[in-house]
Amino acid sequence: MKLLEERIQKDGIVKAGNVLKVDSFLNHQMDIDLFNAMGKEFKRLFGTVGINKIITIEASGIGIACIAAQYFGVPVVFAKKSQSVNIDGEVYSTQIESFTHKQVYNVIVSKKYLSPNDNVLIIDDFLANGCAMNGLLDIVRSAGATVAGIGIAIEKGFQKGGETLRAQGYRVESLAIVDAMNDETGEIIFRTQG
Ligand code: 5GP
């Protein structure tokens, strides 16, 4: 998506350790005009596959998912990061290792909000090694719900998440795919998408 690529090129900052900072428009301050354009694009990509729910994970996925949901007319459920392992059986839970914080989180979704009747679109801000997405997939599978697709704002194509998920048969649509970036020169190279 040209608009997102241009914005990353203009305002994204390449940090050491393969981290792309996009705090000025996506991860901290949020550019709602851009989010609307992204939401419309997700709707164009996934609008015909009968999605009835969007799933994401707190915190950065929520804004993107909510704006996208307005175009689908469906609710958003966000997986919560939880301190404790829940043992009362009322939630689906899994563990996710954070790429940016190098920490393992317990993540939960209440059983009330996800069921075998759901056909879900999973949305997140970044796809890197796929740990966050694998956790969300684990939760959706535990609920017996169907994964209609995975929508990502920024995929880092030089990390293995996207390739692995596509090889597993998931439809992964990333609005921008960064194939290379250099923290010394600040250069960012995008994959050409059809
Ligand atoms: P993964 O689990 O795929 O390795 O990483 C995805 C998660 O880590 C995303 O939810 C995102 O919050 C965070 N993340 C991964 N790479 C980056 C990055 O380069 N920049 C930022 N801002 N977040 C990232």
Side-chain angles (χ1 to χ4, degrees), residues 18-23 27 57 60 96-100 124-133 156 159 161 181:
N18 284 333
V19 173
L20 176 62
K21 265 197 119 43
V22 287
D23 278 10
N27 278 150
I57 179 164
S60 301
I96 291 179
E97 190 180 343
S98 157
F99 175 82
T100 35
D124 204 3
D125 59 341
F126 271 91
L127 178 59
N129 288 316
C131 299
M133 195 49 62
K156 291 190 293 181
Q159 292 179 266
M181 56 189 203

Side-chain angles (χ1 to χ4, degrees):
M1 182 185 163
K2 202 99 216 105
L3 194 65
L4 179 60
E5 289 180 4
E6 285 168 1
R7 192 58 179 276
I8 296 167
Q9 207 59 274
K10 180 168 156 275
D11 293 328
I13 299 166
V14 183
K15 296 280 189 189
N18 284 333
V19 173
L20 176 62
K21 265 197 119 43
V22 287
D23 278 10
S24 66
F25 60 96
L26 197 100
N27 278 150
H28 193 9
Q29 174 168 255
M30 297 182 278
D31 181 333
I32 300 305
D33 285 342
L34 177 66
F35 278 33
N36 269 311
M38 295 186 334
K40 278 184 200 161
E41 183 63 5
F42 283 132
K43 172 74 179 177
R44 187 184 71 78
L45 292 164
F46 293 109
T48 58
V49 294
I51 284 151
N52 74 326
K53 200 164 278 185
I54 293 178
I55 308 289
T56 188
I57 179 164
E58 68 177 351
S60 301
I62 296 176
I64 300 167
C66 287
I67 301 264
Q70 291 189 304
Y71 295 94
F72 288 87
V74 301
V76 174
V77 175
F78 67 90
K80 293 188 172 202
K81 290 171 182 163
S82 152
Q83 295 294 331
S84 57
V85 182
N86 187 289
I87 47 164
D88 65 11
E90 288 170 3
V91 297
Y92 303 111
S93 71
T94 192
Q95 291 201 320
I96 291 179
E97 190 180 343
S98 157
F99 175 82
T100 35
H101 301 112
K102 309 278 178 241
Q103 208 184 326
V104 177
Y105 295 97
N106 292 306
V107 172
I108 58 160
V109 169
S110 168
K111 288 187 176 172
K112 278 189 277 197
Y113 306 126
L114 205 51
S115 79
N117 299 324
D118 289 321
N119 188 41
V120 308
L121 172 62
I122 307 180
I123 283 186
D124 204 3
D125 59 341
F126 271 91
L127 178 59
N129 288 316
C131 299
M133 195 49 62
N134 279 322
L136 289 173
L137 286 166
D138 191 30
I139 283 179
V140 174
R141 274 194 300 259
S142 307
T146 305
V147 179
I150 296 172
I152 301 292
I154 306 171
E155 175 178 338
K156 291 190 293 181
F158 54 87
Q159 292 179 266
K160 65 174 180 9
E163 196 184 320
T164 309
L165 290 166
R166 291 183 184 98
Q168 289 167 1
Y170 291 106
R171 180 176 170 203
V172 182
E173 300 281 1
S174 300
L175 303 185
I177 302 182
V178 174
D179 264 340
M181 56 189 203
N182 185 321
D183 64 320
E184 278 163 22
T185 61
E187 192 184 11
I188 301 171
I189 295 167
F190 293 98
R191 186 173 305 174
T192 309
Q193 298 194 78

